[in-house]
Amino acid sequence: MSGPVSGPVSGEVPEPDEVTEPWWEATRRRVLLVQRCGACGHAQHPPRALCTACGSARDLGWTEASGAAEVDACTVVERAMPGFTPPYVVARVRLAEGVLLLSNVVADDPYQVGGGDPLRLDWRPLPDGRALPVFVPSER
Ligand SMILES: [Zn+2]
């Protein structure tokens, strides 16, 4: 196992487990997956072993996110973290698929990023070939 890698929020990127492995593998292809329950249609993130809406464990599948999103809430971080030059934006992002994702918004002026801003998906490569989904402002 390699050493800690800086992540968007916690400072570390979690190691994949049985549940999150497919999600992480898809990031190698720069595909953002959203877990969706085939029994009730519920979409959820992060991936879990059970559907949080109906409790089904059998019917969970994956759908590819379109990449369209908007800022649900965000904050500008002015403290330095490895791999990040402050100030940078930590945001709760709402995907078009309806799920919330903690991520970063990479903007020329972090202080201009606000709730409701439209975003599109981008990727921040990790040394091991995986990537973290980040977002950039998009035109309305
Ligand atoms: Zn369900």
Side-chain angles (χ1 to χ4, degrees), residues 37 40 51 54:
C37 175
C40 74
C51 171
C54 74

Side-chain angles (χ1 to χ4, degrees), residues 21 23-31 123 128-131:
E21 177 81 37
W23 190 92
W24 280 113
E25 284 305 305
T27 71
R28 296 181 187 278
R29 297 178 282 119
R30 306 300 189 261
V31 169
W123 293 95
D128 64 3
R130 295 183 293 160

